[in-house]
Amino acid sequence: MESRAKISTFSASTSANIANDPLENILRARSSNGTAQNHQGQSNGEAHLKPAPTRFESETSSVLSSGRSTPVPEDAPPSAHSIQHARRERRRRMFPTVDYESRVSHFDPQSQHRDFRGFFTLFWIGLFIMVLTTALRNLKDTRRVLRTSIFSMFTKAPLELAIADLFMFLSTIVCLPLQQAFSTDKWSWGGGGYMLHHALQAIWLAAWVYLPFHLEWQWTHQVFFTLHSLTMLMKMHSYSFYCGHLSECHKRLRALDENNTNVEPAEDTDLRETLAFEVTSPSGRVTYPQNLTLYNFVDYLFCPTLCYELSYPRTDRVRWGQVAEKAAAVFGCIFLLTVTSEEFILPIMTEAATRLEGVNAYSDIALILLENISLLLFPFMVTFLLVFLVIFEYLLGAFAEITCFADRHFYSDWWNSTDWLEFSREWNVPVHRFLQRHVYGASRRHMSRPIATLTTFLISALAHELVMFCITKKLRGYGFVCQMLQLPIIVVQRTEFMKSQKTFNNIMFWSSMIWGLSMISALYVLI
């Protein structure tokens, strides 16, 4: 659907075999001295973030093209000249494009926000004090340093989880041969290929969501597997729909080469330039279908992004010290999350569930729930911050280092949010980019802005509800309703009077965030 909105379906009579593609043969390298565009980091201290060509781009530039300066024979098809011109040009693309650039995260020592790190250090000192006092209290009461009921869950069927996760990861490879087929004249993305992919990803998601229920995994295994499955689903969707769009552009571009008229209409010339720019990467070194390789696909799966592009800005090396530091931080955060749940959440939930069993009056139930929610405010605030750090600062940061992915902009200063729309943009930048590109952008072509926004929130709310269903094995809809209620709240917050009340709006944001997490968790577990 995304590509059909851009380019009408057509049939080209020329051969579409990638290996024998005349455009690619003409664009083969004549020299190895091409130059790549040099992106700059945000600060002078980011020397390691100066993008270097990926191994894929380096191989491509030395085998298929020497870069932007490769000469093109005079007798080459017009599309080859257009692609060469597109490699030197920057313009707005037809398909919604994510602008990647070399950036560090807010908490990186080289960030321009490094003055904020004092509070970051204070946060970790506070957590250390929490663990220390908890251990001393447990030693006094139980002669044990920590409780182990949640820790013991990690030791149940870990091999089964690892094998299932590996097969789930490997199953995403089905996208590659399909896209290779769509790049030929025998298959058409716009002629039904996108519908085939929609059906495929629905079956894929249903199968992997069902598996944990069938194997009766505990919630710790299930939440990890479900989140990883949703991540891979979004990656598959982005890869397939962007490559499908490029296949239609590439076929149309080759069809223009068959125009035997002596004088080409001006609109065809403009269309040729537009299509050539569309099938060329921002760096100018990769042109569709050069990207349809196993290496490129696997590299994309490991890159910390949900939006596929022909190429990304890269760093010049892997800093293994940073990888080790972030990996240690991941396990440290998981340890702290487990301690927080074990010591401050699970006992409160267990006691509240026991008390609710012998209560029938609604007033008593409400009082127990309110007391339970108030006791969970601080633990869930700590849990929320730890989840943010372990995912967006450490886990994604580690994969960014391993893959030399230069754009570390995984979040913005969401803690300063004054409305929920701002929070949705800044809390989880990879998912926001995906929803903006593949949900809002695709919907916007067929519907008004408010309806497209509603559709985006609806899909996001359904995904969050699916995660809560997998964790609690209860279909209640509390999270879905709360997330959809953000829309009317946003309308109020965007009024002229409320927009000027930034401090008040930020207070309301944090209050609703802290109370909301505790309330929703208590409702899912206890009701």
Side-chain angles (χ1 to χ4, degrees), residues 316-353:
D316 57 357
R317 69 185 187 278
V318 179
R319 298 176 298 170
W320 291 108
Q322 286 289 315
V323 174
E325 179 182 326
K326 291 183 181 297
V330 168
F331 288 103
C333 286
I334 293 175
F335 170 78
L336 291 172
L337 282 167
T338 306
V339 170
T340 303
S341 301
E342 188 87 64
E343 300 290 340
F344 302 102
I345 296 178
L346 186 60
I348 295 173
M349 290 288 194
T350 303
E351 181 184 356

Side-chain angles (χ1 to χ4, degrees), residues 72 81 155 225 275 296 329 343 406 421 469 494 496 508 512:
V72 177
H81 292 277
T155 62
F225 190 80
L275 294 173
N296 178 264
E343 300 290 340
L421 198 59
F469 170 69
R494 289 300 175 98
E496 289 299 324
M508 294 303 297
S512 56

